[in-house]
């Protein structure tokens, strides 16, 4: 009775809405070619490039700011950017960058070595975002301005990954920031809603709830080919389904490439949308607490690794849109052993391993998926189902990302297991294997498996000290095998990037670091 | 006794209420006449149909559950029961016939100041020939309002309401019960009606206030020559106020007489026993009426009093006694006569 | 003369006034110095218009209100400041019949259970003994045992009065206070109820305090009467004295205002009071009746509150002009 | 004068309630099991650094001292800083409040403009088929989970029929900000495209939000009108020959509205709470969505700020309701 | 009792409400027997994910390939437990507070009611969100949050009823008879406020179920694999519009259940009102 009523009511309301909708169809379609609109999955809480260092909100950094070097394309290649060239001292501790002349900030002033020095000091002082990359090697105050266009970084020790990470240091305009500085905050209150960069686009409007728009910076040092857009808009649309619908209807031109598989399927059926498929470097991992019983027993960890139904997860739930990644380094990154088999779903072997274990699994284990990321939860449920068949109870206790990051800092508070992606912050195996399994990194969330193996430690540290890639590759492959052998974590898949774009979007250059958010190459037809 | 035609004549009025428990025969052939300029008392105990009669005359019996099943209500030669609702509201209610209600606080709208309520009564009951839309619009004008307020104030002074100017802006709850009753009298007299129906207007008041109000009401209506149908259960009030009395019992009228005659020579056994029930220190023992008022869902046939009547005869249970004239103006319905 | 059953001495009951949110201090002087005695076996009438404090006084005697000042003695024992438990125990002897006894019965309880309750609380009778007592009483008030299984709303107004009476009489009290026991009743029912009251008093040797605004009922029922006006007794005396030779102008006006079922010649209604009584929250100084009094003068009425003085044996009046008032009423 | 006094009294009564609210929120905030400071400190902070921060924010002091400090901070209009964006919570809330306000007002408008007439009609035609139909609708209105209704509406109107946008607040560049309410701004600036888009985006969320409230208003209006309909003064007004439209439209409605108005005040709380889920489903960038974001990010300061702000609004609206009631019914002021 | 049922039966909607509530109780109790695939609460079959309603799966399957009907049935358990415990504990706290505060005016009572007012000065759902969020997502915490936010409603209702009951003549009359206050409170006052308490409880069950579902929807409630209805809907969102059944059926379950409690509450209000109550002959 009530249902019929409601349906009738809906139909009536629908007729009313029809009148509204047909009248305004064109109004919300982005048909003009001068503005590029991107559907952004998460909000830009802050625009300060030194506060945030995540993949989701890279767009404000990469489009409004420049760095010394920039990763482009896939596989990623490091291109000169604000710096024309650089030199490394023989001991591998001094990096000198030579800036191109004439690069301008948006206020018209020139980008100088002082700006680079200021940016590094600011990044270190704020202690957030990319600071974790530089803190271990760059002492505050150690950066030197050689001349107006030359700056040198003096590292504490040789670091093979320093170059790979230097694109994470975004150069800000010191003059502007000093003008807005309050109580020694390095201007961060002001910069959270404003911009002081030299990037390809300059900020036009910003509302944390809605997103931001940028206008093309005509005087950008790289110049413009003529194939570009005048305005860019990154509009926050949190729900994946909403983004997909907006894209299908043409409200937006593009959205993120890590959509749930079902939605990618749906998009791929539309003639108005093209999907650009790229190998990415974003591995999906279930961390295990290697120091806490019963997980400190390698047999228990192996049993758990055998209890996850990888194929079912990848083929059914992920619809085959990801690839199995059996080890700690993305398959498509050098350093990943080509022939590594890894673990398979095999309950018999799992039971055997359990039998070999010296400790009994006598308590329910806890796993924490990430709130707001359904795939992590799905993985937890799949593991839960497998472990249940071994007689192990797995409790699911979702936590938010910040909470987990906080908890993963200490052994006592780190959950038994937790689910996450490790993305490409810089294109080097160290981004994964070093940060995750070198016990020197204990205390950072990436290292929250609390894995410790002196042999692995030695291999990984050696790999950081030397710069020869072939040599490093061998060290990494060896370390990777050891880590997999000891089942330090569950490595499940490496993401593929399925960038959905309206068919009139051209010039997309995907790079795992920028995730296709860099707008400067894009134009509309 | 005037021989002029009655202002209001109710003939054989029958009224039912349909309830969950059954059909209540609230009125079963009620007759009464109000003569020009007189105050007719309608007296009876609770549930005897006094108020239902008043509502039927005003045409405000809630229907459903109420249903008027027979009779006529003649007013100025017209049968009010046959008038359409619109006509009733326009010409009769609040114009030719007005009401003084019992519950003074409940009857006044609590959220409007007095002025609004008084003005609306006047505004919607203009003198004949000014009923069109233009007339109505004019009556929302300032000039009409000034005149109307003057008229209202004059009347408020007549009912001796203290501070009449200030009273206009006040709300009902800001007056005492006695003051509200004065107000309601003023409101009832405002359209200069032919007939005022007063439904137990002094029941809730203290005796000293009641005496004031009764005296005021009698003076005002006598000055204006307005007829009054005064409903009460208090025989003392009847004696003080009314010219004639009609006594009702269980939905029927049983006796009508000039007031003095009723108290000195009550004819109907019910009237007699009612008078005997009045507390009187000179009598050693009080006489109540034995038994209880019959249920009106399935009322006794014939004379409805016969179940409690000490002088009942067999025919009393069969037919309702016809009206008999005992003396000029004194009629009774009883088989004894 | 024996010791009075109940004695009130200068009893006052004030209620604090909360006016506005600032709680300006102020008192509603509901009962403002009342003294009288009630003899064993008599019916004592308390008469006055609404707001004169008669109900408050009744509840103060019962102990539901604690008097602000003054003393109440019952059977020679002061009862105005008893601790709660003792005050409750005293209610076995003093009972109160509410104006609307139907409302004084718990709607969820059968009448029988309600009638049992006083016995459960005050006695250690067995269930069977209680039942016998309750049945005796229900018959005494003219109802039947079958009625005990019904609920209060199933009774008519007159029957509810009888139930109320039965409920207070099961305890066999010595003093019963009636609060407007017949208001709202039709005269024919009122007559039978009043008759019942008289019968029961004789049968159970009760003393009544009869609170009413209805002078004719008071005159019929009571031996002695106190007339109250705005919290004080203005006249006190035998029924005959009050009704035949009223001394206080208020009593006279009250008597004149009663509508009597006698047709009087036009205009002969006697003196009517003008105006309305002032609010008990803002009493005038001096005599509190003076604003409506036909006899009032500036001096002494506005200056002095007249004391209750004996003008004839057993006849007390509180008026400066008690002597000058013509002693014969209509 | 009496009205003024009444207003003052109501305002004075607000103070202890607000104080209690602050204490309540404070208590909730101090039983947090997780450690907000650890979040604030960043990823590689040492225990010493965390301790220093704890000291800096006064979190190592006794609770009463902290409460005092919190009160002082609130007195300055400072709700604290978002642990995530680093901006003052007040800035964040004020930036998003217009969106919520617009949504709430639209829902309230639908509720009142539709609910009151429907309630009056249902009462006047009691027990008719219309009344029964309306009863069915209102009963379901109170039983439906608003997030589910929202999803079902999206499913029908946005995904299947493709008539209305799935979410968001506007599909074109927003109109120049004058009031922050897009519909109003678009009207004021004569921006037709923005107006159309804003209205289209407003349709579903406003209706979703309004639906349960609508049910309440219809029920209470109906009950109120029925109550008044049987009152003595309506009978008296009829007996005094006032025309029915005047009685219904003027005398009856004003009385019946008292009950409805009280409900409308209470409903505001329902709408505010409803906004949390409705904004989530429809991606409406208001304070509700902000709160949900804050939940996802464990941004305690933001959640508490939102809670406090909601409580404040709610108390304020109830105050306004009471004042409205006083204007509507003069007896209120003397109570 | 039979008279009571008869009256309830006469009010067809209320009776429908009673039937729904009984059905809910039954399915909660008998979920393991009724559900076609009771194992699917834990088990997953990714190969059969998101299948539309069919004979094998009348409600279809979810994104893990579990039978939705089974999960909805088991969800009734969670719902019944959450609502019963939350309303029950709110009742245990709120009713005594309201009773005592209403019957014994004084500063302590005033303080208690002021405290209730403070709780009521926040929209209940907002407060529940704040509490559930600070406590962390789990069913006990949801119950706690709901109880903390719901007791003031009982206290308020009971307080107001007791206040007006105190002015009823029959309560004063028991005092006049010399009945002790505690006896009056328990034997006379409490039964007379039973009706509003029962009605409040029934409607409160519906309301609590809605709020609990909302918390679940926001991810503040039960955790997987618990088949809680609100969370199911949240999970289902990303599979719309294709897997329409996934969001539809848990929502319908909420709708029907809450409707049942509301109808029952409405009906009880009429049936239990002592003024309308007909005594037995």
């Amino acid at each position: 009775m009530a249902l019929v009523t409601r349906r009738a009511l809906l139909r009536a309301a629908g007729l009313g809405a029809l009148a509204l909708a047909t009248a305004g169809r064109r109004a919300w379609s982005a048909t003009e070619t001068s503005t590029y609109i991107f559907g952004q999955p998460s909000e830009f809480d802050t625009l300060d490039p030194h506060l945030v260092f995540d993949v989701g909100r890279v767009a404000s950094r990469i489009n409004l700011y420049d760095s010394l070097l920039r990763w482009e394309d896939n596989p990623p290649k490091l291109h000169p950017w604000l710096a024309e060239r650089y030199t490394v001292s023989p001991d591998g501790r001094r990096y000198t960058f030579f800036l191109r002349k004439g690069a301008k900030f948006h206020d018209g002033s020139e980008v100088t070595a002082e700006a680079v020095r200021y940016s590094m000091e600011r990044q270190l002082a704020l202690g957030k975002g990319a600071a974790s990359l530089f803190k271990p090697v760059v002492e505050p105050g150690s950066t030197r301005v050689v001349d107006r266009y030359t700056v040198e970084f003096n590292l504490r020790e040789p670091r093979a990954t320093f170059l790979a990470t230097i694109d994470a240091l975004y150069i800000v305009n010191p003059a502007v920031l000093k003008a807005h500085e309050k109580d020694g905050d390095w201007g961060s209150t002001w910069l959270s809603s404003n911009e002081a960069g030299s990037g390809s686009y300059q900020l036009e409007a910003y509302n944390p709830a809605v997103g931001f728009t940028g206008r093309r910076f005509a005087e950008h040092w790289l110049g413009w080919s003529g194939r570009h857009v005048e305005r860019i808009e990154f509009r926050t649309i949190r729900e994946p389904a909403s983004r997909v619908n907006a894209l299908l209807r043409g409200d937006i031109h593009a959205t993120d490439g890590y959509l749930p598989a079902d939605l990618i399927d749906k998009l791929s059926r539309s003639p108005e949308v093209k999907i650009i498929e790229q190998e990415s470097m974003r591995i999906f991992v279930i961390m295990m607490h290697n120091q806490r019983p019963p997980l400190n027993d390698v047999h228990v960890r192996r049993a758990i690794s055998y209890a996850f139904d990888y194929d079912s997860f990848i083929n059914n739930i992920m619809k085959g849109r990801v690839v199995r990644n059996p080890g700690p380094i993305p398959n498509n990154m050098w350093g990943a052993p080509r022939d590594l088999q890894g673990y398979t779903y095999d309950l018999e072997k799992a039971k055997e391993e359990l039998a070999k274990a010296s400790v009994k699994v006598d308590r329910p284990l806890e796993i924490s998926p990430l709130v707001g990321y359904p795939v992590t939860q799905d993985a937890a449920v799949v593991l839960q189902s497998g472990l249940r068949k071994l007689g192990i109870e797995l409790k699911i206790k979702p936590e938010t990302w910040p909470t987990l990051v906080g908890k993963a800092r200490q052994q006592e508070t780190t959950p038994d297991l937790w689910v996450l992606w490790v993305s490409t912050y810089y294109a080097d195996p160290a981004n994964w294997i070093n940060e995750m399994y070198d016990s020197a990194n204990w205390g950072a969330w990436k290292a929250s498996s609390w894995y410790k193996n002196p042999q692995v430690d030695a291999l990984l540290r050696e790999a950081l000290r030397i710069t020869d890639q072939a040599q490093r590759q061998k060290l990494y492959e060896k370390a990777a095998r050891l880590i997999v052998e000891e089942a330090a974590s569950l490595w499940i898949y490496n993401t593929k990037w399925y960038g959905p774009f309206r068919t009139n979007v051209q010039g997309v250059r995907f790079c795992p670091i920028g995730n296709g958010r860099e707008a400067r190459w894009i134009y509309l037809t | 006794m005037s021989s002029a035609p009655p202002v209001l004549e109710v003939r054989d009025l029958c009224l039912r209420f349909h309830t969950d428990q059954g059909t209540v025969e609230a009125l079963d052939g009620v007759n009464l006449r109000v003569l020009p300029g007189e105050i007719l008392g309608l007296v009876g105990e609770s549930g005897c149909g006094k108020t239902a009669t008043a509502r039927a005359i005003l045409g405000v019996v809630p229907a459903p559950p109420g249903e008027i099943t027979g009779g006529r209500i003649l007013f100025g030669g017209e049968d009010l029961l046959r008038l359409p609702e619109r006509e009733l509201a326009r010409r009769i209610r609040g114009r030719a016939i007005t009401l003084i209600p019992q519950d003074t606080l409940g009857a006044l709208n609590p959220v409007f100041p007095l002025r609004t309520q008084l003005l609306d009564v006047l505004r919607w009951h203009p003198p004949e020939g000014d009923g069109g839309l233009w007339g109505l619009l004019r009556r929302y004008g300032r000039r009409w309002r000034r005149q109307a307020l003057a008229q209202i104030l004059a009347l408020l002074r007549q009912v001796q309401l203290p501070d009449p100017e200030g009273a206009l802006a006040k709300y009902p709850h800001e007056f005492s019960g006695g003051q509200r009753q004065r107000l309601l009298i003023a409101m009832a007299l405002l359209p200069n009606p032919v007939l005022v129906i007063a439904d137990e207007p002094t029941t809730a008041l203290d005796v000293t206030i009641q005496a004031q109000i009764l005296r005021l009401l009698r003076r005002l209506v006598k000055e204006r020559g307005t007829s009054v149908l005064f409903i009460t259960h208090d025989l003392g009030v009847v004696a003080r106020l009314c010219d004639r009395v009609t006594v009702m019992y269980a939905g029927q009228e049983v006796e009508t007489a000039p007031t003095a005659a009723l108290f000195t020579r009550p004819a109907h056994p019910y009237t007699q026993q009612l008078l005997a029930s009045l507390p009187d220190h000179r009598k050693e023992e009080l006489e109540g009426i034995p038994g209880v008022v019959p249920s009106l869902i399935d009322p006794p046939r014939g004379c409805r009093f016969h179940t409690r009547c000490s002088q009942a005869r067999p025919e009393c249970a069969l037919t309702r006694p016809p009206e008999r004239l005992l003396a000029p103006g004194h009629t009774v319905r009883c088989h004894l006569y | 003369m024996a010791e009075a059953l109940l004695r009130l001495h200068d009893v006052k009951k004030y209620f604090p006034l909360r006016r506005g949110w600032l709680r300006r201090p102020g008192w509603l002087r509901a009962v403002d110095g009342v003294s009288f005695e009630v003899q064993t076996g008599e019916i004592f009438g308390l008469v006055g218009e609404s707001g004169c404090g008669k109900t408050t006084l009744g509840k103060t005697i019962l102990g539901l209100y604690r008097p602000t000042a003054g003393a109440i003695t019952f059977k020679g024992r002061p009862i105005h400041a008893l601790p709660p438990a003792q005050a409750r125990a005293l209610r076995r002897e003093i009972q109160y019949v509410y104006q609307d006894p139907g409302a004084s019965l718990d709607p969820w309880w059968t009448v029988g259970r309600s009638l049992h309750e006083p016995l459960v609380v005050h006695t250690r009778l067995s269930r069977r003994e209680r039942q016998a007592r309750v049945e005796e009483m229900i018959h005494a008030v003219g109802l039947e045992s079958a009625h005990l299984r019904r609920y209060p709303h199933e009774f008519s107004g007159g029957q509810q009065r009888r139930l109320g009476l039965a409920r207070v009489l099961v305890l066999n009290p010595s003093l019963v206070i009636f609060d407007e026991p017949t208001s709202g009743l039709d005269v024919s029912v009122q007559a039978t109820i009043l008759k019942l009251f008289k019968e029961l008093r004789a049968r159970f040797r009760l003393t009544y305090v009869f609170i009413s605004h209805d002078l004719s009922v008071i005159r019929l029922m009571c031996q002695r009467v106190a007339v109250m006006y705005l919290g004080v007794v203005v006249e006190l005396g035998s029924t005959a004295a009050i009704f035949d030779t009223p001394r206080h102008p208020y009593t006279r006006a009250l008597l004149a205002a009663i509508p009597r079922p006698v047709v009087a010649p036009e205009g002969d209604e006697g003196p009517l009071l003008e105006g309305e009584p002032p609010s008990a929250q803002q009493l005038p100084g001096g005599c509190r009746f003076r604003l409506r009094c036909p006899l009032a003068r500036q001096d002494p009425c506005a200056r002095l509150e007249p004391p209750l003085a004996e003008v004839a044996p057993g006849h007390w009046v509180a008026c400066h002009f008690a002597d000058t008032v013509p002693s014969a009423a209509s | 004068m009496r009205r003024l006094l009444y207003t003052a009294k109501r305002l004075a009564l607000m103070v202890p309630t607000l104080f209690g609210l602050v204490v309540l929120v404070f208590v909730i905030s101090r039983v947090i099991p997780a450690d907000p400071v650890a979040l604030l400190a960043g990823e590689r902070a040492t225990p010493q650094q965390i301790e220093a921060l704890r000291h800096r924010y006064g979190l190592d002091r006794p609770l009463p001292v902290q409460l005092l400090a919190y009160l002082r901070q609130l007195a300055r209009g400072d709700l604290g800083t978002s642990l995530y964006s680093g901006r003052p919570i007040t800035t964040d809330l004020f930036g998003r409040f217009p969106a919520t306000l617009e949504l709430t007002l639209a829902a309230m408008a639908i509720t009142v403009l539709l609910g009151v007439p429907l309630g009056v009609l249902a009462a006047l035609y009691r027990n008719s088929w219309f009344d029964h139909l309306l009863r069915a609708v209102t009963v379901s209105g109170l039983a439906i989970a608003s997030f589910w209704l929202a999803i079902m509406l999206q499913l029908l109107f946005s995904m299947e029929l493709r008539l209305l946008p799935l979410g968001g607040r506007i599909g074109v560049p927003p109109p120049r900000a004058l009031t922050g309410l897009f519909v109003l701004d678009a009207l004021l600036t004569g921006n037709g495209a923005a107006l159309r888009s804003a209205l289209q985006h407003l349709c579903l969320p406003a209706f979703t939000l309004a639906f349960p409230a609508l049910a309440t208003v219809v029920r209470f209006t109906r009950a109120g009108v029925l109550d008044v309909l049987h009152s003595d003064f309506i009978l008296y007004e009829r007996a005094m020959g006032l025309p029915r439209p005047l009685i219904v439209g003027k005398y009856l409605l004003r009385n019946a509205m008292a009950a409805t108005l009280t409900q409308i005040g209470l409903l505001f709380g329902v709408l505010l709470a409803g906004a949390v889920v409705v904004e989530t489903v429809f991606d409406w960038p208001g304070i509700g969505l902000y709160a949900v974001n804050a939940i996802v990010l464990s941004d305690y300061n933001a959640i508490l700020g939102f809670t406090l702000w909601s409580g404040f609004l709610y108390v304020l609206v109830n105050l306004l309701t009471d004042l409205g009631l006083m204007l509507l019914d003069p007896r209120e002021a003397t109570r | 009792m039979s008279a009571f049922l008869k009256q309830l039966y006469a009010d067809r909607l209320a009776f429908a409400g009673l039937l729904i509530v009984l059905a809910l109780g039954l399915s909660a109790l008998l979920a393991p027997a009724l559900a076609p695939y009771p194992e699917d609460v834990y088990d997953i079959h990714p190969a059969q994910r998101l299948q539309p309603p069919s004979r094998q799966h009348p409600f279809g399957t979810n994104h893990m390939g579990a039978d939705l009907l089974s999960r909805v049935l088991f969800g009734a358990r969670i719902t019944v437990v959450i609502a019963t415990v939350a309303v029950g504990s709110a009742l245990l706290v709120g009713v005594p507070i309201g009773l005592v505060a209403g019957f014994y005016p004084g500063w302590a009572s005033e303080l208690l009611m002021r405290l209730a007012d403070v709780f009521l000065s926040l929209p209940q759902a907002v407060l529940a969100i704040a509490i559930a969020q600070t406590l962390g997502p789990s069913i006990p915490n949801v119950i706690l949050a709901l109880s903390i936010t719901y007791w003031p409603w009982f206290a308020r209702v009971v307080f107001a009823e007791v206040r007006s009951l105190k002015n009823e003549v029959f309560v004063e009359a028991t005092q006049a008879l010399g009945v002790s206050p505690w006896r009056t409170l328990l034997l006379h006052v409490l039964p007379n406020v039973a009706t509003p308490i029962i009605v409040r409880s029934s409607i409160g069950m519906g309301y609590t179920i809605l709020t609990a579902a909302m918390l679940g929807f926001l991810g503040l409630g039960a955790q997987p694999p618990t088949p809680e209805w609100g969370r199911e809907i949240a999970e289902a969102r990303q599979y719309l519009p294709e897997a329409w059944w996934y969001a539809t059926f848990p929502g319908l379950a909420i709708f029907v259940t809450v409707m049942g409690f509301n109808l029952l509450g409405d009906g009880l209000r009429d049936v239990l009102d002592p003024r309308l109550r007909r005594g037995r002959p």
Side-chain angles (χ1 to χ4, degrees), chain C residues 252-291:
Chain C
R252 283 169 41 79
L254 205 56
L255 289 173
I258 315 174
R260 261 162 309 187
V262 177
V263 180
E266 185 95 4
D268 181 28
E269 291 158 325
L272 283 195
L273 286 183
E274 289 303 325
E276 302 191 350
S279 150
Q281 305 173 10
Q282 293 164 307
L283 293 176
C287 175
R288 48 192 84 195
F289 184 57
R290 68 183 165 89
L291 296 180

Side-chain angles (χ1 to χ4, degrees), chain B residues 47-250:
Chain B
C48 73
K50 305 181 299 269
T51 299
T53 307
R55 289 191 182 173
I57 295 169
L58 285 162
V60 292
V61 174
E67 182 198 359
I68 291 176
T69 51
R72 293 208 273 173
I73 297 173
L74 298 172
F75 179 76
E78 282 179 296
D79 185 354
L80 297 185
L81 293 178
R82 292 185 209 300
L83 273 187
E85 167 70 22
R86 245 177 69 89
E87 282 290 288
L88 267 179
R90 198 172 61 80
R91 285 199 293 121
I92 307 296
R93 291 205 295 258
R95 174 91 190 84
I97 307 179
T98 58
L99 173 74
I100 303 175
Q102 172 179 8
D103 176 7
T104 58
L105 188 58
L108 286 166
N109 199 313
V111 301
F112 288 92
L114 216 60
R115 188 193 293 119
T116 313
Q117 308 192 36
L118 284 161
L119 279 174
D120 266 341
V121 169
L122 264 188
R123 184 175 287 137
W124 293 88
H125 296 295
E128 287 299 328
D130 201 6
L133 184 62
W134 282 116
L136 186 63
L137 284 179
R138 194 176 60 75
R139 288 194 299 279
Y140 271 99
R142 193 176 287 175
R143 227 176 76 194
W144 179 86
R145 187 185 160 92
R146 202 166 42 236
Q147 288 168 359
L149 283 177
Q151 192 184 340
I152 289 168
L153 277 174
L155 200 56
L156 290 184
R157 282 193 199 98
Q158 280 187 38
V159 298
Q160 295 160 5
L161 191 75
D163 183 24
E165 284 87 356
L168 284 176
K170 286 194 190 170
Y171 290 87
H173 69 277
E174 298 176 280
F175 295 94
S176 74
Q179 288 169 346
R180 273 197 296 270
Q181 200 49 268
R182 287 171 195 272
L183 272 171
L184 286 166
I185 289 173
M187 219 148 146
L189 295 176
L190 194 56
N192 220 353
V194 180
L195 174 69
V196 172
I197 297 178
D199 187 1
E200 305 248 17
T202 60
T203 305
L205 302 177
D206 278 326
V207 278
T208 55
I209 311 293
Q210 169 174 293
Q212 295 169 4
I213 298 286
L214 290 180
R215 183 192 274 185
L216 174 77
L217 180 64
R218 184 167 175 90
R219 203 190 71 223
L220 284 176
V221 296
K222 287 299 172 190
E223 277 170 16
R224 294 164 171 247
T226 312
S227 305
V228 177
L229 177 62
F230 193 93
I231 295 170
T232 182
H233 68 277
D234 189 335
L235 287 162
V237 169
V238 169
R240 180 163 284 187
L241 185 74
C242 300
D243 302 311
R244 289 193 311 128
V245 190
T246 293
V247 181
M248 281 185 76
Y249 177 77

Side-chain angles (χ1 to χ4, degrees), chain D residues 4-41:
Chain D
L4 214 69
L5 260 176
Y6 180 76
T7 311
K9 176 181 164 183
R10 292 287 309 146
L11 272 172
L13 276 177
M14 241 178 97
V15 174
T17 310
L18 282 179
F19 177 75
L21 187 69
V22 171
V23 174
L24 179 68
V25 168
F26 177 78
V27 167
I28 293 175
S29 74
R30 299 302 134 124
V31 297
I32 297 173
D35 190 351
V37 175
L39 285 179
L40 202 62

Side-chain angles (χ1 to χ4, degrees), chain D residues 68 73 83 89 97 110 114 124 184 189 250 257 317 322:
Chain D
L68 259 176
Q73 179 194 331
L83 299 176
I89 308 263
F97 185 60
I110 294 175
L114 219 60
L124 293 182
L184 202 60
T189 54
K250 180 175 178 179
M257 277 311 288
V317 169
D322 278 358

Side-chain angles (χ1 to χ4, degrees), chain C residues 53-114:
Chain C
K54 48 189 196 304
T55 296
T56 307
L57 186 58
K59 291 183 178 176
T60 310
I61 296 171
L62 186 69
L64 281 180
Y65 297 148
R66 183 164 286 237
T68 311
I72 304 173
T73 30
F74 179 73
K75 289 186 173 171
R77 185 173 147 225
I79 59 165
H80 53 269
L82 292 178
Q86 285 186 39
R88 284 201 294 275
L90 185 72
R91 312 245 167 97
R92 213 190 147 157
E93 300 226 44
I94 308 179
Q95 280 291 343
Y96 195 90
V97 180
Y98 280 84
Q99 177 172 352
D100 180 0
S104 75
L105 297 170
D106 191 326
W108 285 83
W109 285 23
T110 60
V111 164
R113 195 174 169 203
S114 284

